[in-house]
Amino acid sequence: MRESWHDFFAESPDVLKTERCRQTIVPVRDLVIGGDEFVTMAGPCSVETEAQLLATAHHVRRSGARILRGGAFKPRSSPYAFQGLGLEGLKLLAHARQQTGLAIVTEVMSEDDVPMVAEYADILQIGSRNMENFTLLEAAARSGRPILLKRGMVATIADFLRSAQCILANGNSNVILCERGIRTFETAMRNTFDVAAIALLKQISHLPVIADPSHAAGRRELVPALARVAVAAQADGLLVEVHPDPDRAWSDGDQTLDFPGFDAMMTSLEPYIALRATRLRGFEPARDELLEAVG
Ligand code: PEP
Ligand code: MN
């Protein structure tokens, strides 16, 4: 007999769909993630200056983003690269929220910083490099803020779900899973976008799933195509890097869209988002079929 997903992911039972829990809806200020609305989170890789952040926030809001992203604490592969503005960056994010009404998602890298970041952020981002930092996951979970959990770059889906399970086990059910590309033998792109993971997670887990096409691609010209694929795979939202002048960005400029590029991507997504809404209403597998698949 075919192994059920419940058996395969036996170490993460609470993240799987059940009769009782088919979809987690994560409330964030005036919106929800995991509901009918497709939610775009956009903004710079790093918070750099007030002018950079405010210009980006106003622009992405006008173009349909609902959440502002921006790193104040940056996990960098090189110890000599820009490490983020820290508390000053958090204050700039809060200022941008107050100016635009956008909710804020930003990364927390250390359990010591959780209380400070939770004071300013609406969603705590756990970065790829920290997906299995269980003391951080525990502290972040206990802050009570929704958690955006990024898949580790060498994490299997089972590893990913175990980390989500750890957050749930620490009393926080507001978890958003984020596929951001994984390491494979392919080196032409920064990572390999695992769209199958999105489709699978949407079938088996009740947690919202979003895609980060920027870190997956590593090249801005690929970002819109990966975003469209994510919508087609039933993702609940996107996390995208946008900057007023990407070639001068202090981090991840190559994968960052400029304002016209972001607008073009948002326009190109419209028919896919409309189709997604129809699919959600009419073509989702019947409830019993789905529960049987979960096991
Ligand atoms: C980021 O979102 O800027 C980031 C550092 O992402 P990741 O943890 O996926 O590399
Ligand atoms: Mn980045």
Side-chain angles (χ1 to χ4, degrees):
M1 203 180 104
R2 211 159 68 106
E3 187 183 22
S4 76
W5 293 118
H6 249 301
D7 292 337
F8 191 86
F9 295 113
E11 289 173 311
S12 317
D14 299 336
V15 307
L16 300 181
K17 281 189 169 124
T18 61
E19 184 96 44
R20 201 168 39 82
C21 185
R22 293 176 34 74
Q23 179 64 51
T24 289
I25 306 280
V26 176
V28 182
R29 296 179 77 82
D30 63 338
L31 66 134
V32 297
I33 300 165
D36 289 343
E37 187 189 350
F38 185 83
V39 176
T40 299
M41 314 179 186
C45 178
S46 308
V47 177
E48 299 169 5
T49 64
E50 180 174 343
Q52 168 244 19
L53 191 66
L54 286 183
T56 310
H58 283 293
H59 187 87
V60 300
R61 189 182 66 84
R62 275 197 301 273
S63 304
R66 302 294 309 270
I67 298 182
L68 177 66
R69 64 146 289 148
F73 294 91
K74 295 306 302 175
R76 305 306 302 284
S77 302
S78 161
Y80 306 109
F82 175 58
Q83 306 289 318
L85 296 179
L87 178 59
E88 191 192 332
L90 296 176
K91 289 184 175 164
L92 289 174
L93 286 165
H95 180 56
R97 170 175 55 212
Q98 184 250 325
Q99 293 287 303
T100 60
L102 290 173
I104 300 296
V105 56
T106 195
E107 179 163 353
V108 58
M109 287 177 58
S110 138
E111 62 262 36
D112 296 338
D113 294 338
V114 166
M116 176 173 62
V117 180
E119 190 185 325
Y120 291 92
D122 299 298
I123 305 173
L124 299 183
Q125 178 173 324
I126 302 290
S128 217
R129 292 157 192 79
N130 272 319
M131 188 204 81
E132 289 188 316
N133 181 342
F134 290 100
T135 37
L136 173 62
L137 294 180
E138 219 177 293
R142 293 192 179 281
S143 75
R145 288 283 186 213
I147 309 288
L148 192 162
L149 178 66
K150 294 191 108 182
R151 182 178 179 184
M153 57 188 86
V154 292
T156 66
I157 294 171
D159 298 332
F160 192 20
L161 292 182
R162 263 195 303 273
S163 291
Q165 173 79 27
C166 168
I167 300 171
L168 266 59
N170 279 282
N172 191 333
S173 55
N174 288 324
V175 178
I176 303 152
L177 301 171
C178 179
E179 161 60 33
R180 47 78 74 203
I182 50 173
R183 286 259 164 92
T184 68
F185 56 82
E186 178 58 70
T187 54
M189 289 152 293
R190 185 174 179 183
N191 291 290
T192 296
F193 185 45
D194 188 3
V195 72
I198 298 176
L200 174 58
L201 290 168
K202 283 302 298 174
Q203 280 198 16
I204 63 169
S205 176
H206 55 79
L207 298 173
V209 180
I210 67 161
D212 173 349
S214 308
H215 290 84
R219 300 282 298 248
R220 71 180 72 117
E221 58 272 33
L222 283 174
V223 169
L226 299 196
R228 292 192 293 272
V229 167
V231 181
Q234 300 287 293
D236 295 289
L238 282 181
L239 183 71
V240 192
E241 289 183 337
V242 182
H243 188 287
D245 187 357
D247 289 334
R248 298 221 175 126
W250 297 2
S251 58
D252 284 351
D254 289 349
Q255 66 194 33
T256 298
L257 298 171
D258 61 11
F259 294 168
F262 179 67
D263 294 353
M265 182 196 77
M266 292 299 271
T267 304
S268 85
L269 283 177
E270 279 168 14
Y272 293 81
I273 291 172
L275 190 61
R276 171 186 173 277
T278 334
R279 282 189 56 87
L280 285 179
R281 276 197 303 274
F283 297 99
E284 208 192 44
R287 200 180 62 113
D288 293 344
E289 203 182 302
L290 209 95
L291 288 170
E292 198 181 309
V294 173

CSV table of all heavy atoms in Angstrom, one decimal, residues 55-78:
chain,number,residue,atom,x,y,z
A,55,ALA,N,10.5,55.7,0.1
A,55,ALA,CA,10.1,55.7,-1.4
A,55,ALA,C,9.7,54.3,-1.8
A,55,ALA,O,8.6,54.1,-2.5
A,55,ALA,CB,11.4,56.1,-2.2
A,56,THR,N,10.3,53.2,-1.3
A,56,THR,CA,10.0,51.9,-1.7
A,56,THR,C,8.6,51.5,-1.1
A,56,THR,O,7.7,51.0,-1.8
A,56,THR,CB,11.0,50.9,-1.2
A,56,THR,OG1,12.3,51.3,-1.6
A,56,THR,CG2,10.8,49.5,-1.7
A,57,ALA,N,8.4,51.9,0.2
A,57,ALA,CA,7.1,51.5,0.9
A,57,ALA,C,5.9,52.2,0.1
A,57,ALA,O,4.9,51.5,-0.2
A,57,ALA,CB,7.2,52.0,2.3
A,58,HIS,N,6.1,53.5,-0.1
A,58,HIS,CA,5.0,54.2,-0.8
A,58,HIS,C,4.7,53.5,-2.2
A,58,HIS,O,3.6,53.3,-2.6
A,58,HIS,CB,5.3,55.7,-1.0
A,58,HIS,CG,5.1,56.4,0.3
A,58,HIS,ND1,3.8,56.6,0.9
A,58,HIS,CD2,5.9,57.1,1.1
A,58,HIS,CE1,3.9,57.3,2.0
A,58,HIS,NE2,5.2,57.6,2.2
A,59,HIS,N,5.8,53.2,-2.9
A,59,HIS,CA,5.6,52.7,-4.3
A,59,HIS,C,5.0,51.3,-4.2
A,59,HIS,O,4.0,51.1,-5.0
A,59,HIS,CB,7.0,52.6,-5.0
A,59,HIS,CG,6.7,52.2,-6.4
A,59,HIS,ND1,6.4,53.1,-7.4
A,59,HIS,CD2,6.6,51.0,-7.0
A,59,HIS,CE1,6.2,52.5,-8.5
A,59,HIS,NE2,6.2,51.2,-8.3
A,60,VAL,N,5.5,50.4,-3.4
A,60,VAL,CA,4.9,49.1,-3.4
A,60,VAL,C,3.5,49.0,-2.9
A,60,VAL,O,2.7,48.3,-3.4
A,60,VAL,CB,5.8,48.0,-2.7
A,60,VAL,CG1,7.2,47.9,-3.4
A,60,VAL,CG2,5.9,48.3,-1.2
A,61,ARG,N,3.2,49.9,-2.0
A,61,ARG,CA,1.8,50.0,-1.6
A,61,ARG,C,0.8,50.4,-2.7
A,61,ARG,O,-0.2,49.8,-2.9
A,61,ARG,CB,1.6,51.0,-0.4
A,61,ARG,CG,0.3,50.9,0.3
A,61,ARG,CD,0.1,51.9,1.4
A,61,ARG,NE,0.1,53.2,1.0
A,61,ARG,CZ,-0.9,53.9,0.5
A,61,ARG,NH1,-2.1,53.3,0.4
A,61,ARG,NH2,-0.8,55.2,0.1
A,62,ARG,N,1.3,51.5,-3.4
A,62,ARG,CA,0.4,51.9,-4.6
A,62,ARG,C,0.3,50.8,-5.6
A,62,ARG,O,-0.7,50.7,-6.3
A,62,ARG,CB,1.1,53.1,-5.2
A,62,ARG,CG,0.8,54.5,-4.6
A,62,ARG,CD,1.1,55.6,-5.5
A,62,ARG,NE,2.5,55.7,-5.9
A,62,ARG,CZ,3.4,56.3,-5.2
A,62,ARG,NH1,3.1,56.9,-4.0
A,62,ARG,NH2,4.7,56.3,-5.6
A,63,SER,N,1.3,49.9,-5.7
A,63,SER,CA,1.2,48.9,-6.7
A,63,SER,C,0.6,47.6,-6.2
A,63,SER,O,0.7,46.6,-6.9
A,63,SER,CB,2.6,48.6,-7.3
A,63,SER,OG,3.1,49.8,-7.8
A,64,GLY,N,0.1,47.6,-5.0
A,64,GLY,CA,-0.7,46.4,-4.5
A,64,GLY,C,-0.1,45.6,-3.4
A,64,GLY,O,-0.7,44.6,-3.0
A,65,ALA,N,1.2,45.9,-3.0
A,65,ALA,CA,1.7,45.2,-1.9
A,65,ALA,C,1.0,45.5,-0.6
A,65,ALA,O,0.5,46.6,-0.4
A,65,ALA,CB,3.2,45.5,-1.7
A,66,ARG,N,0.9,44.5,0.3
A,66,ARG,CA,0.2,44.7,1.6
A,66,ARG,C,1.1,44.7,2.8
A,66,ARG,O,0.8,45.1,3.9
A,66,ARG,CB,-0.9,43.6,1.8
A,66,ARG,CG,-1.9,43.5,0.7
A,66,ARG,CD,-2.8,44.7,0.6
A,66,ARG,NE,-3.4,45.1,1.9
A,66,ARG,CZ,-4.6,44.6,2.3
A,66,ARG,NH1,-5.3,43.8,1.6
A,66,ARG,NH2,-5.1,45.0,3.5
A,67,ILE,N,2.3,44.2,2.6
A,67,ILE,CA,3.3,44.1,3.7
A,67,ILE,C,4.7,44.6,3.1
A,67,ILE,O,5.0,44.4,2.0
A,67,ILE,CB,3.4,42.7,4.2
A,67,ILE,CG1,2.0,42.2,4.7
A,67,ILE,CG2,4.5,42.5,5.2
A,67,ILE,CD1,1.9,40.8,5.3
A,68,LEU,N,5.4,45.3,4.0
A,68,LEU,CA,6.7,45.9,3.7
A,68,LEU,C,7.7,44.9,4.3
A,68,LEU,O,7.7,44.6,5.5
A,68,LEU,CB,6.9,47.3,4.2
A,68,LEU,CG,8.2,47.9,4.0
A,68,LEU,CD1,8.5,48.2,2.6
A,68,LEU,CD2,8.3,49.2,4.8
A,69,ARG,N,8.7,44.5,3.4
A,69,ARG,CA,9.8,43.7,3.9
A,69,ARG,C,11.0,44.6,4.0
A,69,ARG,O,11.1,45.6,3.3
A,69,ARG,CB,10.1,42.4,3.1
A,69,ARG,CG,10.5,42.7,1.7
A,69,ARG,CD,11.5,41.6,1.2
A,69,ARG,NE,12.8,41.8,1.8
A,69,ARG,CZ,13.7,40.8,2.1
A,69,ARG,NH1,13.4,39.6,1.8
A,69,ARG,NH2,14.8,41.1,2.7
A,70,GLY,N,12.0,44.2,4.8
A,70,GLY,CA,13.3,44.9,4.8
A,70,GLY,C,14.1,44.4,6.0
A,70,GLY,O,13.5,44.3,7.1
A,71,GLY,N,15.3,44.1,5.8
A,71,GLY,CA,16.2,43.5,6.8
A,71,GLY,C,16.9,44.6,7.6
A,71,GLY,O,17.5,45.4,7.1
A,72,ALA,N,16.7,44.5,8.9
A,72,ALA,CA,17.5,45.4,9.8
A,72,ALA,C,18.7,44.6,10.4
A,72,ALA,O,19.8,45.1,10.7
A,72,ALA,CB,16.7,45.9,11.0
A,73,PHE,N,18.5,43.3,10.5
A,73,PHE,CA,19.6,42.4,10.9
A,73,PHE,C,19.8,41.4,9.7
A,73,PHE,O,18.9,40.7,9.3
A,73,PHE,CB,19.2,41.6,12.1
A,73,PHE,CG,19.0,42.4,13.3
A,73,PHE,CD1,17.8,43.0,13.7
A,73,PHE,CD2,20.1,42.7,14.2
A,73,PHE,CE1,17.7,43.8,14.8
A,73,PHE,CE2,20.0,43.5,15.3
A,73,PHE,CZ,18.7,44.1,15.6
A,74,LYS,N,21.0,41.5,9.1
A,74,LYS,CA,21.3,40.7,7.9
A,74,LYS,C,22.2,39.6,8.1
A,74,LYS,O,23.3,39.8,8.5
A,74,LYS,CB,21.9,41.7,6.8
A,74,LYS,CG,21.0,42.8,6.3
A,74,LYS,CD,19.6,42.3,5.8
A,74,LYS,CE,19.7,41.4,4.7
A,74,LYS,NZ,18.3,40.9,4.3
A,75,PRO,N,21.7,38.4,7.7
A,75,PRO,CA,22.6,37.2,7.8
A,75,PRO,C,23.4,37.2,6.5
A,75,PRO,O,22.9,36.9,5.4
A,75,PRO,CB,21.7,36.0,7.8
A,75,PRO,CG,20.5,36.5,7.1
A,75,PRO,CD,20.4,38.0,7.2
A,76,ARG,N,24.7,37.5,6.5
A,76,ARG,CA,25.5,37.6,5.2
A,76,ARG,C,26.5,36.5,5.1
A,76,ARG,O,27.0,36.1,6.1
A,76,ARG,CB,26.2,39.0,5.2
A,76,ARG,CG,25.3,40.2,5.3
A,76,ARG,CD,24.1,40.2,4.3
A,76,ARG,NE,24.5,40.2,2.9
A,76,ARG,CZ,25.0,41.2,2.3
A,76,ARG,NH1,25.1,42.4,2.9
A,76,ARG,NH2,25.4,41.1,1.0
A,77,SER,N,26.7,36.1,3.9
A,77,SER,CA,27.7,35.0,3.7
A,77,SER,C,29.1,35.5,4.0
A,77,SER,O,29.9,34.7,4.5
A,77,SER,CB,27.5,34.4,2.3
A,77,SER,OG,26.2,34.0,2.1
A,78,SER,N,29.4,36.8,3.8
A,78,SER,CA,30.7,37.3,4.1
A,78,SER,C,30.6,38.1,5.4
A,78,SER,O,29.7,39.0,5.6
A,78,SER,CB,31.2,38.2,3.0
A,78,SER,OG,32.2,39.0,3.5
